[in-house]
Amino acid sequence: MLENLPVLTGCGIFSSRSHFPHQQKTAPRTVANYELEFFLEDGGVSYINGEAHPIRAGMVLLAQPGDTRCSELHFKALFLHFRFHDRPLQQRLSGCRCVLQPADPQPLYRQMLALCDKYYTESPENELARAAGILSCLRLLAHEFVNLCLSSHVYASGRLVKDQDFGI
């Protein structure tokens, strides 16, 4: 059972100015783990599989293993990197390569920040609390995605996306 829970592999605040002070664009890379990013400022452009997403404060991005990413700089983001082996959850997320601007970004921001705090301050054995934090972030993201889809009649795979598609 525990092997199916999400595992947080990294988190923190990424500042492109600190990591790439003299670059304007990062090289393309293949995503190894799920990447959830909450952008803290306007600036730059994030590319997922060649699709451009201008970065705005409060915007949220979810990239999946196998995606190709690169960015035009500069920006700052709160990030979570995680992996899991639960097939039903992987299937639910498979169509959710998303970039969205939540109507109320604060709940997700607070949850991500709390999860980073747990990652750096709690015992590594407390993986259950970190797994619950990741699932809580995904639930908040799923609610925002479903609300966006329902309000704009967005369809995924030819059908209207509904709450039950994400098991929420």
Side-chain angles (χ1 to χ4, degrees):
M1 164 83 175
L2 287 179
E3 64 273 3
N4 288 337
L5 291 176
V7 175
L8 191 60
T9 59
C11 64
I13 294 181
F14 174 81
S15 171
S16 65
R17 285 178 188 83
S18 297
H19 287 82
F20 304 105
H22 304 295
Q23 286 182 238
Q24 294 302 310
K25 189 171 184 177
T26 61
R29 64 180 176 80
T30 301
V31 174
N33 294 304
Y34 290 86
E35 298 180 358
L36 180 59
E37 297 178 3
F38 183 101
F39 294 97
L40 301 171
E41 62 186 20
D42 292 347
V45 178
S46 183
Y47 294 87
I48 302 177
N49 301 323
E51 187 175 335
H53 303 281
I55 295 171
R56 300 289 174 255
M59 185 175 94
V60 178
L61 173 147
L62 176 65
Q64 298 195 25
D67 285 347
T68 300
R69 293 201 53 203
C70 67
S71 299
E72 291 177 16
L73 307 174
H74 285 288
F75 62 88
K76 190 182 292 185
L78 176 61
F79 71 89
L80 303 177
H81 293 175
F82 58 94
R83 68 175 185 273
F84 57 87
H85 303 289
D86 183 72
R87 287 281 183 216
L89 187 53
Q90 286 175 335
Q91 289 171 341
R92 286 182 180 152
L93 287 177
S94 68
C96 190
R97 282 173 184 82
C98 64
V99 176
L100 55 88
Q101 190 83 35
D104 180 6
Q106 288 307 306
L108 181 59
Y109 172 76
R110 285 192 300 269
Q111 182 63 38
M112 289 177 70
L113 209 53
L115 189 51
C116 284
D117 185 55
K118 281 183 174 59
Y119 184 73
Y120 289 107
T121 62
E122 289 187 0
S123 166
E125 292 80 37
N126 199 356
E127 63 188 283
L128 191 58
R130 288 190 295 275
I134 294 168
L135 292 171
S136 179
C137 287
L138 292 175
R139 183 174 183 273
L140 288 166
L141 184 63
H143 275 293
E144 287 292 339
F145 183 72
V146 167
N147 289 339
L148 173 71
C149 291
L150 293 175
S151 67
S152 61
H153 305 289
V154 173
Y155 288 79
S157 303
R159 62 184 176 74
L160 184 63
V161 176
K162 299 177 183 163
D163 281 358
Q164 60 265 29
D165 293 333
F166 294 97
I168 55 178

